Amino acid sequence: MNINEAIDLLKENGYKATGKRKDILNYFADSDGYRTAKDLIKFLEKKDDAVSFDTIYRNLHLYNEVGILETTELNGEKHFRMNCTHHHHHHFICNKCGKTKEIEVCPMDEVTRSLANYEIDGHKFEIYGLCPTCQ
Amino acid sequence: MNINEAIDLLKENGYKATGKRKDILNYFADSDGYRTAKDLIKFLEKKDDAVSFDTIYRNLHLYNEVGILETTELNGEKHFRMNCTHHHHHHFICNKCGKTKEIEVCPMDEVTRSLANYEIDGHKFEIYGLCPTCQ
DNA sequence: TTTACAAATCGTAATGATTACGATATGATG
DNA sequence: CATCATATCGTAATCATTACGATTTGTAAA
């Protein structure tokens, strides 16, 4: 997802596109990988753009709700990345830099068969390790 | 893993098998699903067995390190369950009761081929939903 | 079995991330 | 450009987890 799509999504859901919200979107749009709340705070502080915790966390949750960000837990910390809007896929995630690579394989069709009486709401398939650059 | 295997594992690693450690092991051995630190604390309080936070968290980490417990994040909370010692497999996890069902499918062979220059350290494949009992 | 001692636990204080709140500022709409 | 609901600010409160000095307890040797 790019910034414009994200802003549209905000407006569609009745939320304002404020300066702070755009700053946060810019950060994730340029990241191309998983980042923590702390990463974001550091980034905003560097550009002399003091942001209240309230604003950070409120918007991270909001973005997750409306589908702008997706989230996962890496090494005990919550991480966020821009949501992928195209076809269904999964990710390799680098433990060092947080960058991701798309994985096309998804075994859910096979799995569903063996869970006949179960109600399936979601699934997670992630591969962890080091990307070529971080090795 | 059962309690005796867990105690052996502790001793092999040079740790003592104390009363509190056995209480904690008993809880997870009887659970057959994912439980939080809070669940454990509640359980121990009920049986009039006051346990310090220090003891709870120190041992949860220890058990995770030596391979007695495995951990995952569910609905924003860290959960633990007795580790499976037999063949490699994954889990369906009930969002309500935390109980698990084994899934034999694992797509890692297929995936490895598409990650030639990546160093793979681990992977996670989990299916979430409601078990037949909780629907 | 007793002793000795390192390891484990206790009770509580400290930490750190996240959430909450009243006051102020700001985007969107007419 | 005026209005007002929404968003943000600065800070305080909360909650889970971690840390610490004092005390207790397994373990293994005597």
Side-chain angles (χ1 to χ4, degrees), chain A residues 32-47:
Chain A
D32 184 36
Y34 278 101
R35 305 287 171 242
T36 64
K38 202 192 286 181
D39 291 336
L40 171 60
I41 291 170
K42 252 187 236 161
F43 168 80
L44 292 173
E45 277 172 354
K46 261 186 196 159
K47 62 192 283 275

Side-chain angles (χ1 to χ4, degrees), chain B residues 16 18 20-21 50 52 54-55 58-59:
Chain B
K16 294 178 180 170
T18 67
K20 284 288 147 63
R21 282 191 176 146
S52 164
D54 193 47
T55 304
R58 190 167 23 76
N59 284 316

Side-chain angles (χ1 to χ4, degrees), chain B residues 1-4 6-7 10 19-31 40 63 68-69 82:
Chain B
M1 184 173 319
N2 65 35
I3 298 174
N4 290 331
I7 290 177
L10 276 181
K20 284 288 147 63
R21 282 191 176 146
K22 286 174 191 165
D23 289 347
I24 296 174
L25 287 177
N26 271 308
Y27 177 68
F28 285 105
D30 291 345
S31 284
L40 171 60
Y63 288 173
I68 292 173
L69 295 180
M82 220 45 156

Side-chain angles (χ1 to χ4, degrees), chain A residues 35-112:
Chain A
R35 305 287 171 242
T36 64
K38 202 192 286 181
D39 291 336
L40 171 60
I41 291 170
K42 252 187 236 161
F43 168 80
L44 292 173
E45 277 172 354
K46 261 186 196 159
K47 62 192 283 275
D48 254 336
D49 198 351
V51 179
S52 163
F53 292 134
D54 193 47
T55 303
I56 298 282
Y57 289 105
R58 189 167 24 75
N59 284 316
L60 285 177
H61 290 162
L62 173 65
Y63 288 173
N64 188 233
E65 243 168 55
V66 301
I68 293 173
L69 295 181
E70 54 188 314
T71 179
T72 196
E73 232 240 4
L74 302 172
N75 319 309
E77 285 189 291
K78 235 166 250 161
H79 285 66
F80 302 84
R81 64 157 281 150
M82 221 45 157
N83 206 342
C84 304
T85 46
H86 49 298
H87 69 286
H88 178 72
H89 65 267
H90 295 283
H91 283 134
F92 168 92
I93 305 172
C94 180
N95 276 326
K96 199 166 173 192
C97 70
K99 284 195 181 164
T100 53
K101 177 179 172 11
E102 296 191 6
I103 300 296
E104 300 306 327
V105 177
C106 179
M108 277 311 284
D109 291 341
E110 252 180 287
V111 166
T112 311

Side-chain angles (χ1 to χ4, degrees), chain B:
Chain B
M1 184 173 319
N2 65 35
I3 298 174
N4 290 331
E5 290 174 310
I7 290 177
D8 287 348
L9 205 48
L10 276 181
K11 293 192 173 167
E12 276 168 33
N13 285 277
Y15 296 105
K16 294 178 180 170
T18 67
K20 284 288 147 63
R21 282 191 176 146
K22 286 174 191 165
D23 289 347
I24 296 174
L25 287 177
N26 271 308
Y27 177 68
F28 285 105
D30 291 345
S31 284
D32 184 36
Y34 278 101
R35 305 286 171 242
T36 64
K38 202 192 285 181
D39 292 335
L40 171 60
I41 291 169
K42 253 186 235 162
F43 168 79
L44 293 173
E45 278 172 352
K46 261 185 197 161
K47 62 192 285 274
D48 253 337
D49 198 350
V51 179
S52 164
F53 291 134
D54 193 47
T55 304
I56 299 281
Y57 289 104
R58 190 167 23 76
N59 284 316
L60 286 176
H61 290 162
L62 173 64
Y63 288 173
N64 189 230
E65 245 168 55
V66 301
I68 292 173
L69 295 180
E70 55 188 314
T71 179
T72 196
E73 232 240 3
L74 301 172
N75 318 309
E77 284 189 290
K78 237 166 249 163
H79 284 66
F80 301 84
R81 63 157 281 150
M82 220 45 156
N83 206 341
C84 303
T85 48
H86 50 299
H87 69 288
H88 178 72
H89 64 267
H90 295 283
H91 283 134
F92 168 91
I93 305 172
C94 180
N95 276 326
K96 199 166 173 189
C97 69
K99 284 196 181 164
T100 53
K101 177 181 174 11
E102 297 190 5
I103 301 296
E104 300 306 325
V105 177
C106 178
M108 278 311 284
D109 291 341
E110 251 180 288
V111 165
T112 312
R113 261 176 265 140
S114 65
L115 288 169
N117 300 312
Y118 289 72
E119 179 189 318
I120 298 177
D121 297 339
H123 66 283
K124 174 179 275 194
F125 179 39
E126 290 178 342
I127 297 104
Y128 312 106
L130 293 176
C131 70
T133 311
C134 288
Q135 280 170 35

Side-chain angles (χ1 to χ4, degrees), chain A residues 101-130:
Chain A
K101 177 179 172 11
E102 296 191 6
I103 300 296
E104 300 306 327
V105 177
C106 179
M108 277 311 284
D109 291 341
E110 252 180 287
V111 166
T112 311
R113 261 176 264 138
S114 66
L115 289 169
N117 300 313
Y118 289 73
E119 180 190 318
I120 298 177
D121 297 339
H123 67 284
K124 173 180 277 194
F125 180 37
E126 289 177 342
I127 297 103
Y128 311 106
L130 294 177

